[in-house]
């Protein structure tokens, strides 16, 4: 009912209810509503729930922070890259790319290395995928080349979406994109071949 009213008042009212304290299921709905409203009036509650003891609510708060945006929430989301829950870490790393926080690229390298050393999952962790995605979305050509250094260190499937994103960017030099194709082609694996087939589709001109 609150979300159906005036957006600014709705965000204030929902935020006040969340700060007062509600059961987890209601808090999840409230954070979802604040994300849908995308109003700055909800930022205080979202920032509060980024530090909630329940990982599921922290993940809802990350999603709401992306919708609301702003430098203060971006900084709060960046702190969740070191969250004890792997799902929250991955969501936070991915969110920084969606929030356009280019300053987050530098500290993501340390987070990526840390998860790489501690992970035994052949598919990679949510954080590895999130870090790679944000670097590919916001990093410059030098950052993309640095990310290529992880091709033989990280599970390849955790990097493919990131490199496909890099190939779609119009602001990256062709020389960098050529390096992406060359290094991945050198893997000579089935996954690398599938990636190259998709890359060829990306580079094929569309019919008008």
């Amino acid at each position: 009912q609150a979300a159906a009213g005036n957006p600014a008042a709705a965000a204030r009212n929902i935020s006040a209810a969340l700060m007062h304290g509600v059961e987890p299921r209601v808090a999840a709905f409230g954070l979802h509503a604040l994300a849908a409203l995308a109003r700055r009036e909800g930022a205080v509650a979202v920032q509060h729930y980024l530090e909630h003891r329940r990982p599921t609510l922290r993940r809802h708060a990350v999603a709401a922070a992306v919708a609301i945006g702003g430098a203060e929430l971006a900084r709060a989301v960046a702190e969740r890259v070191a969250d004890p829950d792997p799902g929250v870490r991955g969501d936070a790393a991915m969110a920084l790319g969606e929030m356009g926080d280019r300053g987050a690229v530098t500290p993501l390298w340390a987070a990526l290395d840390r998860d790489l050393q501690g992970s035994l999952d052949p598919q990679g962790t949510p954080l590895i995928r999130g870090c790679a995605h944000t670097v590919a979305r916001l990093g410059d050509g030098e950052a993309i080349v640095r990310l290529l250094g992880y091709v033989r260190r990280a599970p390849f499937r955790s990097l493919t979406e990131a490199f496909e994103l890099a190939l779609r960017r119009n602001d990256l030099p062709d020389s960098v994109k050529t390096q992406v194709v060359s290094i991945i082609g050198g893997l000579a694996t089935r996954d690398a071949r599938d990636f190259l087939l998709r890359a060829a589709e990306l580079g094929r001109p569309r019919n008008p």
Side-chain angles (χ1 to χ4, degrees), residues 73-156:
L73 280 179
R75 287 193 294 269
V77 169
E79 293 179 3
R80 299 270 58 86
V81 171
D83 195 276
D85 182 81
V88 177
R89 292 197 299 270
D91 285 0
M94 188 78 73
L96 291 172
E98 296 178 33
M99 297 177 85
D101 184 10
R102 294 185 182 278
V105 171
T106 298
L108 285 182
W109 296 115
L112 198 161
D113 285 333
R114 185 174 59 247
D115 244 42
L116 195 59
Q117 293 170 4
S119 172
L120 299 176
D121 190 337
Q123 300 296 319
T125 66
L127 180 61
I128 292 173
R129 292 192 294 274
C131 286
H133 193 277
T134 291
V135 169
R137 180 189 286 261
L138 301 179
D140 57 14
E142 185 178 338
I144 303 303
V145 171
R146 182 176 177 179
L147 188 62
L148 282 169
Y150 289 83
V151 166
R152 296 184 183 274
R153 295 172 55 199
F156 182 66

Side-chain angles (χ1 to χ4, degrees), residues 7-207:
R12 281 194 296 268
N13 291 337
I14 294 171
S15 184
L18 291 177
M19 293 297 288
H20 181 71
V22 293
E23 63 183 87
R25 185 177 69 88
V26 177
F29 279 119
L31 290 167
H32 181 75
L34 290 179
L37 290 166
R39 297 283 308 190
R40 292 295 304 163
E41 291 83 357
V44 172
V46 169
Q47 189 162 349
H48 174 76
Y49 274 82
L50 283 169
E51 300 182 5
H52 196 276
R53 63 185 179 85
R54 290 179 178 265
T56 53
L57 291 181
R58 295 200 297 276
R59 296 184 74 174
H60 281 297
V62 168
V66 171
I68 294 172
E72 189 172 355
L73 280 179
R75 287 193 294 269
V77 169
E79 293 179 3
R80 299 270 58 86
V81 171
D83 195 276
D85 182 81
V88 177
R89 292 197 299 270
D91 285 0
M94 188 78 73
L96 291 172
E98 296 178 33
M99 297 177 85
D101 184 10
R102 294 185 182 278
V105 171
T106 298
L108 285 182
W109 296 115
L112 198 161
D113 285 333
R114 185 174 59 247
D115 244 42
L116 195 59
Q117 293 170 4
S119 172
L120 299 176
D121 190 337
Q123 300 296 319
T125 66
L127 180 61
I128 292 173
R129 292 192 294 274
C131 286
H133 193 277
T134 291
V135 169
R137 180 189 286 261
L138 301 179
D140 57 14
E142 185 178 338
I144 303 303
V145 171
R146 182 176 177 179
L147 188 62
L148 282 169
Y150 289 83
V151 166
R152 296 184 183 274
R153 295 172 55 199
F156 182 66
R157 291 183 181 180
S158 66
L159 304 176
T160 52
E161 289 184 3
F163 286 122
E164 287 177 15
L165 177 60
L167 292 178
R168 290 190 185 98
R169 287 177 54 181
N170 295 323
D171 61 331
L172 287 178
D174 288 341
S175 59
V176 172
K177 296 180 181 181
T178 299
Q179 278 188 265
V180 171
V181 172
S182 176
I183 289 177
I184 292 177
L187 294 176
T189 63
R190 180 174 181 177
D191 284 340
R193 184 194 65 190
D194 291 343
F195 173 87
L196 294 175
L197 289 172
R198 292 194 298 274
E201 284 293 321
L202 290 175
R204 185 172 298 169
R206 302 293 181 184
N207 292 327

